[in-house]
Amino acid sequence: MHNLSTSPSGQLNIALSDTFSLDPRCRLSEIIKEFCQQAPDVEMTTNVEHMGDMERKVLNDELDIAFIPYHRQLEGLNYIHLFTDINYLYCGRDNPLYDLSEEQLTEELLHGSRMVHAGLKPHEEVYQQLSSMHLAGTAYHYDSRIAMALSGQYICFLPESVAAPHISSGDLKAIATKSKFFSLGVAVISKKSAQPNRARDLFLKTINNVFVDAETGAPY
């Protein structure tokens, strides 16, 4: 019935990965403001979920829209690219690698250090970086990964923006920045063959409107 009224109504279910809710580059508050002005009767639900769960739920019509780090392209999903993160390799202050110069950070040392990673099957660029590392722990959420790196016992890849507060305090340090990095896009996903849903379609249109002047070239 919500598809028959003058303006969209009913429910809109949205999920986001990790820190995207407050990442200014997602422009989520701007998107929500513009959407609500056009669809004030829509009941919006937002949650933070695991990326694999979000893909499955969008395909199964349990979610309408999800904001995810791009790691693969599934046939049944549409993608809107939002922005790109550069991920560098980080270690904590108590890690033996912290005080070494770039010249001292040999491949042997880097590949012998315990790495905590997201635990997902990555796309090719990420796989090339992880395949030779000592994968010794998994932590999907950035906060958990950061905590493991801050212990001094693990190294990890993080988006530059996520690591920034810990870099400024000196608790984390980017290492081997010339060789250990990769690009990771951030995308909005929706189901290609979903049933008509005016609220979902308007939200996707609003995203495109908000990002119309942005640099949206995907790195994949």
Side-chain angles (χ1 to χ4, degrees), residues 130-182:
L130 294 179
S131 60
S132 57
M133 307 296 288
H134 175 30
L135 305 182
T138 59
Y140 173 71
H141 291 292
Y142 291 136
D143 286 349
S144 299
R145 219 178 305 166
I146 289 170
M148 293 177 76
L150 291 175
S151 74
Q153 303 304 303
Y154 294 89
I155 59 176
C156 68
F157 282 104
L158 293 168
E160 193 173 19
S161 59
V162 172
H166 305 279
I167 292 294
S168 60
S169 68
D171 292 327
L172 286 180
K173 178 184 178 182
I175 57 176
T177 55
K178 295 180 180 179
S179 60
K180 299 298 181 184
F181 65 91
F182 57 83

Side-chain angles (χ1 to χ4, degrees), residues 12-210:
L12 183 67
N13 296 311
I14 300 170
L16 304 100
S17 179
D18 231 342
T19 59
F20 290 162
S21 298
L22 294 178
D23 192 320
R25 295 170 301 170
C26 276
R27 303 170 74 171
L28 185 62
S29 58
E30 187 178 347
I31 293 166
I32 291 173
K33 178 181 179 180
E34 183 174 323
F35 174 81
C36 288
Q37 288 173 344
Q38 300 179 69
D41 297 326
V42 172
E43 180 184 341
M44 185 183 302
T45 300
T46 62
N47 285 300
V48 175
E49 298 196 26
H50 190 283
M51 183 158 53
D53 292 336
M54 287 189 283
E55 290 173 322
R56 174 182 55 79
K57 288 183 177 182
V58 170
L59 288 169
N60 291 340
D61 298 312
E62 299 171 53
L63 279 174
D64 297 305
I65 292 167
F67 291 66
I68 68 169
Y70 177 90
H71 70 122
R72 60 181 175 178
Q73 186 146 359
L74 297 180
E75 182 61 31
L77 297 176
N78 287 314
Y79 295 80
I80 301 174
H81 177 73
L82 301 184
F83 62 89
T84 300
D85 261 322
I86 303 299
N87 285 241
Y88 289 105
L89 188 61
Y90 294 91
C91 70
R93 189 193 300 274
D94 293 330
N95 192 289
L97 304 181
Y98 188 93
D99 293 322
L100 298 183
S101 67
E102 291 289 303
E103 293 72 23
Q104 293 172 314
L105 288 168
T106 63
E107 291 288 296
E108 183 179 6
L109 283 173
L110 293 170
H111 295 172
S113 298
R114 289 188 290 184
M115 160 78 73
V116 56
H117 62 109
L120 298 166
K121 183 179 179 181
H123 66 75
E124 185 61 27
E125 186 181 1
V126 182
Y127 175 78
Q128 290 298 326
Q129 291 286 6
L130 294 179
S131 60
S132 57
M133 307 296 288
H134 175 30
L135 305 182
T138 59
Y140 173 71
H141 291 292
Y142 291 136
D143 286 349
S144 299
R145 219 178 305 166
I146 289 170
M148 293 177 76
L150 291 175
S151 74
Q153 303 304 303
Y154 294 89
I155 59 176
C156 68
F157 282 104
L158 293 168
E160 193 173 19
S161 59
V162 172
H166 305 279
I167 292 294
S168 60
S169 68
D171 292 327
L172 286 180
K173 178 184 178 182
I175 57 176
T177 55
K178 295 180 180 179
S179 60
K180 299 298 181 184
F181 65 91
F182 57 83
S183 301
L184 191 63
V186 173
V188 172
I189 60 172
S190 58
K191 187 176 179 180
K192 282 184 178 180
S193 59
Q195 292 296 314
N197 183 318
R198 292 177 62 203
R200 181 200 62 230
D201 294 344
L202 177 59
F203 197 88
L204 293 172
K205 182 180 178 181
T206 304
I207 292 171
N208 284 315
N209 288 342
V210 168

